[in-house]
Amino acid sequence: MLVRKIPDGTVIDHVPAGKALSVLRLLGDPQENGFTIAMVMNVNSSKMNRKDIVKVEGMEVSPEQVQRLALIAPRASVNIVRSYRVVAKKNAVPPRTLRGVLNCTAPTCVSVREKESAPSIFFLSGRSPLRYRCKYCGRELAEKEISSQLG
Ligand SMILES: [Zn+2]
């Protein structure tokens, strides 16, 4: 499948199939701020079974956005394009610690019962597949749970 090359902006490849819209939401819905976007959904991939590709013209994603991207697309690669050339290639790296991002799924966890005194803190416990462990009760969230919590 051929997709028009973009002159400047960001190309996010190897997004899990079906997650392109979540990626856009994570980037703050650039299309609503006047940026042109292109999505390629559910294409064959040699690295994954099926993938989405997201292109945002005229916008370069920040390192913070690349980190957060790792939570819904842990194997994503991010290409920054200037004048039709890839000038930087970044891999999404999941943050070691997440504060106030995920919700523990253990009903008895102190972060669920006493949100104010025990705000949610998760530590990275696996990268492929992605896993995070609750600081308080040790409950692990699997990749599917993480991405569903994030939209
Ligand atoms: Zn917990």
Side-chain angles (χ1 to χ4, degrees):
M1 181 178 291
L2 274 176
V3 186
R4 193 170 67 90
K5 283 192 170 183
I6 60 171
D8 297 281
T10 303
V11 177
I12 303 167
D13 198 355
H14 298 110
V15 173
K19 288 289 169 189
L21 288 171
S22 302
V23 167
L24 284 176
R25 216 169 298 138
L26 186 143
L27 299 178
D29 288 318
Q31 71 279 19
E32 287 174 10
N33 296 311
F35 294 103
T36 300
I37 58 155
M39 287 187 289
V40 186
M41 298 176 87
N42 211 31
V43 290
N44 280 315
S45 162
S46 52
K47 244 167 102 176
M48 321 160 66
N49 283 339
R50 292 261 159 187
K51 66 173 183 179
D52 290 354
I53 304 169
V54 176
K55 298 185 177 197
V56 185
E57 232 178 290
M59 181 187 144
E60 294 188 2
V61 299
S62 68
E64 294 74 37
Q65 286 173 320
V66 175
Q67 272 210 343
R68 276 193 292 148
L69 182 69
L71 300 179
I72 51 170
R75 282 163 286 287
S77 54
V78 178
N79 294 323
I80 306 292
V81 178
R82 289 180 195 153
S83 304
Y84 293 100
R85 260 188 270 158
V86 175
V87 295
K89 215 177 167 78
K90 305 170 190 180
N91 288 315
V93 177
R96 284 175 182 277
T97 309
L98 291 175
R99 291 168 198 277
V101 177
L102 299 172
N103 296 312
C104 190
T105 54
T108 54
C109 180
V110 67
S111 74
V112 175
R113 288 184 291 112
E114 294 167 47
K115 269 194 160 76
E116 278 96 64
S117 57
S120 132
I121 298 174
F122 277 82
F123 300 122
L124 181 68
S125 56
R127 286 196 55 168
S128 191
L130 191 65
R131 289 192 309 276
Y132 275 91
R133 187 185 297 279
C134 175
K135 176 197 167 195
Y136 304 101
C137 71
R139 168 71 64 101
E140 262 196 345
L141 296 186
E143 191 168 307
K144 276 213 168 96
E145 293 173 292
I146 294 162
S147 72
S148 76
Q149 282 198 18
L150 294 166

